[in-house]
């Protein structure tokens, strides 16, 4: 296990500027169990006494940075094919970047990895989105972390930095009919997802664990 900072944990968060990642970041900075938060980002984050936020290019992550030494990684990186512009660009963000982070952190002694995946993730799925998510899960399991937790939300509810009219209308409709739907198909609030991610990073339970959407509604 990587060295801890004082009596608390060092948690590395990737995707800290996103809808889920920003919730994780806030919770981690407030949690007394976390002594230090490392959040590599493309753009600067507001300063905080517990926060180290190196600016990085995810296409060329540094391989010799001491800040890779963490007790746990929480990965909330993700996009959409529409936002990415192509299937290739989507795969880079939702598969390649999280796997690159996992390999680097593991090489520096990190024993716990926590991932935001998606409902329906399946490496053999005929749907591209689900297949990419499933392939990442499979390859992360092959990294043999002491503790690996995969959180599989459904439709993520939360305020996004960019405006998506269609998505907002859809989320509003889903909230209206949510009580009529099975729990796994209801909206997964971003703060619920964030709490599940941080809890897994702090508890560091040995083995592979799946948290389904039904536990996030």
């Amino acid at each position: 296990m990587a060295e801890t900072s004082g009596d608390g944990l060092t948690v590395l968060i990737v995707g800290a500027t996103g809808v889920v990642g920003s919730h994780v970041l806030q919770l981690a900075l407030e949690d007394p169990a976390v002594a230090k938060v490392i959040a590599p980002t493309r753009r600067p984050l507001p300063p905080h006494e517990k926060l180290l936020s190196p600016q990085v290019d995810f296409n060329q992550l540094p391989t010799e940075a001491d800040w890779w030494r963490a007790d746990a990684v929480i990965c909330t990186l993700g996009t959409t094919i529409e936002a990415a512009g192509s299937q290739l660009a989507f795969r880079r963000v939702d598969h390649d970047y999280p796997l690159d982070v996992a390999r680097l952190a593991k090489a520096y002694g990190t024993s716990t990895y926590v991932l935001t995946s998606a409902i329906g993730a399946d490496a053999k799925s005929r749907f591209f989105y689900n297949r990419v998510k499933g392939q990442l899960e499979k390859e992360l399991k092959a990294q043999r972390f002491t503790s690996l937790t995969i959180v599989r939300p459904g439709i993520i509810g939360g305020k996004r930095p960019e405006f998506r009219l269609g998505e907002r209308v859809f989320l509003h409709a889903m909230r209206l009919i949510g009580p009529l739907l099975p729990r796994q198909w209801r909206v997964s609030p971003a703060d619920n997802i964030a709490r599940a991610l941080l809890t897994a990073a702090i508890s560091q339970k040995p083995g592979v664990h799946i948290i389904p959407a039904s536990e996030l509604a």
Side-chain angles (χ1 to χ4, degrees):
M1 177 179 290
E3 293 182 3
T4 59
S5 178
D7 294 327
L9 298 175
T10 295
V11 177
L12 191 152
I13 303 170
V14 285
T17 59
V19 62
V20 173
S22 59
H23 282 275
V24 177
L25 176 63
Q26 188 62 39
L27 289 173
L29 292 175
E30 295 172 353
D31 198 307
V34 179
K36 183 177 182 180
V37 177
I38 303 167
T41 57
R42 286 196 174 96
R43 58 183 185 270
L45 291 172
H48 189 283
E49 60 183 0
K50 287 170 61 172
L51 177 64
L52 172 64
S53 182
Q55 288 183 256
V56 300
D57 178 354
F58 280 92
N59 288 312
Q60 295 180 315
L61 287 169
T63 59
E64 297 182 358
D66 283 342
W67 49 257
W68 286 116
R69 301 183 191 280
D71 297 292
V73 170
I74 299 176
C75 179
T76 66
L77 289 170
T79 186
T80 63
I81 297 174
E82 181 181 6
S86 68
Q87 289 188 344
L88 181 63
F90 168 81
R91 182 179 174 84
R92 185 180 304 120
V93 175
D94 279 59
H95 175 277
D96 298 352
Y97 292 170
L99 188 57
D100 288 345
V101 168
R103 287 169 172 163
L104 283 164
K106 185 74 160 35
Y108 275 83
T110 300
S111 60
T112 297
Y113 194 97
V114 188
L115 173 73
T116 307
S117 185
I119 189 172
D122 182 351
K124 297 181 180 179
S125 175
R126 60 192 179 95
F127 298 106
F128 178 77
Y129 179 91
N130 291 349
R131 187 165 68 250
V132 169
K133 294 292 189 180
Q135 288 170 349
L136 174 60
E137 290 186 8
K138 182 178 180 180
E139 291 182 68
L140 287 176
K141 291 174 184 176
Q143 297 300 309
R144 305 185 72 84
F145 283 94
T146 301
S147 176
L148 173 63
T149 299
I150 297 167
V151 179
R152 292 177 177 167
I155 299 163
I156 298 174
K159 186 176 180 180
R160 298 182 183 277
E162 73 276 15
F163 181 77
R164 301 178 185 173
L165 177 60
E167 187 175 270
R168 290 192 183 184
V169 172
F170 182 69
L171 283 171
H172 180 68
M174 289 295 291
R175 289 190 182 99
L176 290 176
I177 66 173
L180 304 176
L181 297 172
R183 290 186 65 85
Q184 67 266 30
W185 294 111
R186 298 178 190 176
V187 172
S188 301
D191 54 347
N192 288 3
I193 302 168
R195 288 190 182 92
L197 293 165
L198 184 60
T199 296
I202 292 173
S203 64
Q204 302 185 352
K205 293 180 180 178
V208 178
H209 308 277
I210 306 293
I211 300 179
S214 59
E215 295 182 20
L216 303 168

